[in-house]
Amino acid sequence: LTPIFEGLFIYCLSLVGPTVAIFLAASFMQWRIFGPLTSQYYLNLADAWPFDNDLYQQFRLCSLVLAFVLMVFFHSIHFVSHYYYTRSLRMSYFDEGEDVTWEELRRHPHCPFIVLTGTVTDWKRPGEEEAMTEISISCLHTGSEKTSFVATPPWRSVAKCMALAAAAIDVFFIGMLDRVRYRFWLEFLNLRMGDYI
């Protein structure tokens, strides 16, 4: 069907994840609501997970504890792909894989003035259409005319800033193709390469 309806395959494929998630959630709610009355099985699988109130109470308690733990460590979990990307850049482009700070670069007499450009997504002033803007990162300042400039903290990692400046997946999917289905897959697969500064 792709030659007849351009983009149909990608569109259908992008709906699979949310559809499966909704189906599993609806099946679970059906199992929880009607299970005590009908003793039905979860997902209508024979001999698999009949409703048991004690088992459900244990599941609910474990889910609540897991939700609190994930909420506390959400940024650390979300940080995994960004950390991997930062480490890859550091091991490839830094002398002996050792990271440096912006202050060390600023004080080095033979180092040129380095300016990195990155993209800020999901940020806009009231009344603006586009929720994306470019920023510059150097050893002196971070920001742009639109976001304003702030002094770059002397302890900020150059490798981290390189990873932020090269986080192309985030900019492409969130900034240019801003659709719910892309955001779903980025969050579900934890593929975000950018981070907060």
Side-chain angles (χ1 to χ4, degrees):
L1 290 177
T2 300
I4 300 169
F5 302 105
E6 186 177 340
L8 181 64
F9 178 72
I10 298 297
Y11 181 75
C12 292
L13 194 62
S14 67
L15 292 177
V16 169
T19 303
V20 169
I22 290 171
F23 172 73
L24 291 175
S27 297
F28 180 79
M29 290 187 329
Q30 178 183 357
W31 175 75
R32 173 59 186 106
I33 293 168
F34 297 111
L37 302 174
T38 63
S39 299
Q40 71 181 32
Y41 296 95
Y42 179 58
L43 296 175
N44 293 326
L45 299 173
D47 302 328
W49 302 310
F51 185 82
D52 179 18
N53 194 46
D54 293 335
L55 180 66
Y56 174 73
Q57 294 301 332
Q58 290 177 356
F59 171 76
R60 189 177 71 167
L61 179 64
C62 292
S63 297
L64 186 63
V65 170
L66 181 65
F68 278 117
V69 170
L70 289 177
M71 192 167 42
V72 169
F73 295 106
F74 176 75
H75 181 71
S76 299
I77 294 168
H78 178 78
F79 185 70
V80 171
S81 58
H82 174 72
Y83 174 76
Y84 174 76
Y85 190 47
T86 302
R87 183 186 176 280
S88 298
L89 289 172
R90 181 174 43 85
M91 298 304 287
S92 297
Y93 295 107
F94 286 74
D95 184 36
E96 297 181 6
E98 293 293 323
D99 194 8
V100 293
T101 64
W102 282 108
E103 182 65 19
E104 291 171 336
L105 279 186
R106 189 177 71 81
R107 291 178 184 256
H108 197 284
H110 301 294
C111 185
F113 187 73
I114 297 174
V115 178
L116 302 174
T117 58
T119 305
V120 177
T121 56
D122 292 338
W123 184 90
K124 65 180 177 180
R125 292 180 176 165
E128 290 183 347
E129 294 289 324
E130 192 172 282
M132 184 172 75
T133 186
E134 286 189 18
I135 61 168
S136 299
I137 307 168
S138 73
C139 60
L140 300 177
H141 298 95
T142 299
S144 68
E145 289 183 20
K146 188 175 177 182
T147 62
S148 298
F149 286 92
V150 295
T152 301
W155 45 263
R156 183 169 288 160
S157 160
V158 176
K160 178 183 179 78
C161 291
M162 282 179 62
L164 291 173
I169 289 178
D170 291 5
V171 175
F172 184 71
F173 284 114
I174 294 174
M176 297 179 181
L177 299 175
D178 193 12
R179 295 201 174 51
V180 173
R181 62 180 180 236
Y182 297 127
R183 287 181 181 263
F184 171 82
W185 284 112
L186 283 175
E187 291 294 330
F188 184 74
L189 299 174
N190 196 23
L191 288 177
R192 299 187 104 174
M193 296 165 62
D195 197 15
Y196 303 99
I197 58 169

